[in-house]
Amino acid sequence: MSSVLPGSPGSAPLHLAVALDGAGWHPAAWREPAARPAELFTAQYWLDLVREAERGLLDLVTIEDSFGLQARGLDPANERTDEVRGRLDAVLIADRVAPQTHHIGLVPTVSATHTEPFHVSKAIATLDYVSTGRAGVRVQVSPRAEEARHFGRRVLPESGAADLSTPAAGELISELFGELVDYVEVIRRLWDSWEDDAEIRDAASGRFIDRDRLHYIDFDGSHFSVKGPSIVPRPPQGQPIVAALAHSGLPYRCAAASADIVFVTPTDTVDAGRIVAEVRAAQADIGRAEADLAVFADLVVFLDDQSESGADRKSRLDRLARAEYRSDARIFAGSAAALADLLAQWQSVGISGYRLRPGALPDDLNAITGALVPELQSRGLFRSRYEADSLRGLLGLERPANRYARAAAAPVAAEGVSA
């Protein structure tokens, strides 16, 4: 465990992430003069965004993904043709930009509802190798019927955001989050299924691996039965970072049980303190009170520039979209100094860091790196250089011990694993 728990009041400096999604989080952002809609499906577009975030010394970027076309909230994608539709695979974007960046963490989004944990475990382990220790993964559930139809392995009810209050919806959400907890447990065990020194690589003796240091995980739960071991050696970080977005009690408890970072959506300072207390209580209830769990607050941001205020820009984009933009997260529109005031205030009640969702790309990302970061640095609230080479290091999280190595006095037999 790190000496200072991220999120403890007064544990400055704070951490900053940026959530990348298409041309930005406002549906009309792709129509901005600086937007690059013709390049949304190119590697260079994503590389430029991540490099800009790294130039601003940010801790990490998350990359949105789903198995359905973009939609608002939990409602199905509509028939509008004046908004961005379609996206590239988030894990593959991260793999592409990793070798051409050096410090920033890369956290793609994956669905725990429709992917197999074995596949994702080795994909994120691979990302950790190609990024030399900067990988993470944001796991999410999907209750959308249209996404389930892509796979045909389960049938989910047709429902929208308005149906979430029904008992049936509550039961489904509970089942999906229970599956997510098992999912994360499987990928974590697979990351540990090779001990750190399992690879001998001794050409003289002809031994590449030590078969006694590879372990079956033998996970047998309600949703998965996975034998293991992985086919990818233990990642450089041991355990890449696991993150999750949570809005209420059940997701808070799942994050407390499984995640290293939980993204939350406070509305104000009082709400931020309440959420932090609820997350910490959830940790205590399951016996993980001492575990590292960073609480990042999500904010959609429209920052002032020299020609237009953030509020005016949002209003203009609302008119283009023919609807007022709303979000599950608080929407901030204003100056970098005012945003820095808000971040400092919420940090005082236990928020570890922030995941900022740029309203428009690249404008609001450039404002984050070019105006907000210097403002925070001038207050002593943000780093002036990268102080670690791994994402865990940036977040102040120690590299975890291998659970199987701890029981190495009687290692699990690795029968059937070729040496």
Side-chain angles (χ1 to χ4, degrees):
M1 181 181 172
S2 60
S3 58
V4 178
L5 181 68
S8 302
S11 62
L14 53 79
H15 298 285
L16 276 184
V18 66
L20 300 178
D21 187 19
W25 287 76
H26 195 290
W30 68 278
R31 300 169 70 177
E32 284 288 86
R36 297 158 59 185
E39 301 175 55
L40 288 178
F41 308 128
T42 68
Q44 191 63 49
Y45 174 78
W46 293 94
L47 179 59
D48 290 347
L49 293 178
V50 177
R51 279 177 167 166
E52 179 60 27
E54 186 171 66
R55 191 185 69 79
L57 306 177
L58 271 57
D59 292 81
L60 62 96
V61 297
T62 62
I63 305 168
E64 297 299 303
D65 205 352
S66 74
F67 287 117
L69 294 175
Q70 286 86 338
R72 298 184 183 187
L74 290 175
D75 292 326
N78 55 43
E79 300 299 324
R80 292 186 64 156
T81 58
D82 61 344
E83 299 175 355
V84 171
R85 292 289 185 267
R87 62 172 87 245
L88 301 181
D89 184 277
V91 175
L92 296 179
I93 290 174
D95 282 333
R96 175 65 178 81
V97 304
Q100 298 189 51
T101 54
H102 305 284
H103 301 285
I104 195 165
L106 303 168
V107 183
T109 298
V110 303
S111 168
T113 304
H114 299 303
T115 63
E116 294 293 336
F118 189 92
H119 294 153
V120 169
S121 169
K122 75 185 185 74
I124 301 302
T126 300
L127 175 61
D128 209 39
Y129 274 100
V130 299
S131 67
T132 61
R134 294 180 285 124
V137 59
R138 181 171 83 87
V139 291
Q140 66 178 4
V141 302
S142 173
R144 300 176 189 278
E146 69 270 22
E147 292 190 19
R149 285 195 290 268
H150 291 321
F151 302 92
R153 293 187 296 186
R154 66 201 311 171
V155 177
L156 297 179
E158 302 285 349
S159 62
D163 300 322
L164 274 183
S165 60
T166 66
E171 185 176 334
L172 172 63
I173 294 298
S174 179
E175 178 186 344
L176 294 179
F177 274 102
E179 184 179 34
L180 178 143
V181 171
D182 279 3
Y183 185 98
V184 175
E185 177 63 17
V186 170
I187 63 174
R188 286 191 183 280
R189 290 192 190 191
L190 287 166
W191 288 333
D192 278 349
S193 65
W194 289 51
E195 294 185 32
D196 287 315
D197 52 358
E199 304 146 73
I200 302 170
R201 303 172 180 145
D202 184 353
S205 67
R207 298 179 71 214
F208 189 84
I209 62 170
D210 181 348
R211 60 188 300 169
D212 289 335
R213 297 187 186 279
L214 272 61
H215 303 272
Y216 294 132
I217 70 167
D218 286 327
F219 183 89
D220 189 12
S222 302
H223 306 282
F224 304 102
S225 179
V226 180
K227 184 71 173 176
S230 178
I231 64 166
V232 180
R234 194 168 194 242
Q237 294 183 99
Q239 295 272 322
I241 296 297
V242 175
L245 173 64
H247 298 96
S248 60
L250 174 60
Y252 295 156
R253 291 192 293 276
C254 292
S258 301
D260 302 294
I261 302 174
V262 56
F263 301 125
V264 298
T265 53
T267 55
D268 55 32
T269 306
V270 172
D271 194 37
R274 178 194 63 78
I275 291 172
V276 170
E278 191 170 351
V279 170
R280 299 304 179 206
Q283 282 188 267
D285 286 345
I286 60 173
R288 294 189 74 230
E290 298 302 314
D292 288 334
L293 175 62
V295 182
F296 278 37
D298 270 21
L299 290 161
V300 182
V301 295
F302 297 86
L303 290 173
D304 299 348
D305 61 30
Q306 292 182 341
S307 60
E308 189 177 34
S309 73
D312 286 345
R313 188 151 48 86
K314 177 181 176 299
S315 296
R316 181 169 51 75
L317 289 171
D318 286 349
R319 290 192 294 275
L320 283 174
R322 294 177 284 122
E324 181 183 2
Y325 173 67
R326 299 179 184 276
S327 173
D328 58 318
R330 174 168 167 173
I331 299 173
F332 175 89
S335 68
L339 180 56
D341 289 342
L342 185 152
L343 303 190
Q345 192 170 19
W346 288 10
Q347 188 190 26
S348 70
V349 296
I351 293 294
S352 318
Y354 298 88
R355 187 176 71 143
L356 304 179
R357 308 181 191 177
L361 290 169
D363 291 338
D364 289 301
L365 174 60
N366 293 342
I368 290 168
T369 58
L372 176 64
V373 166
E375 180 68 30
L376 292 171
Q377 289 171 330
S378 71
R379 304 181 187 202
L381 293 176
F382 195 63
R383 67 171 60 89
S384 57
R385 62 179 177 82
Y386 279 113
E387 67 276 6
D389 295 327
S390 71
L391 179 53
R392 280 190 169 274
L394 292 178
L395 297 173
L397 304 177
E398 292 184 353
R399 189 177 189 275
N402 187 306
R403 75 191 67 193
Y404 299 109
R406 288 199 296 269
V412 178
E415 298 172 0
V417 178
S418 298

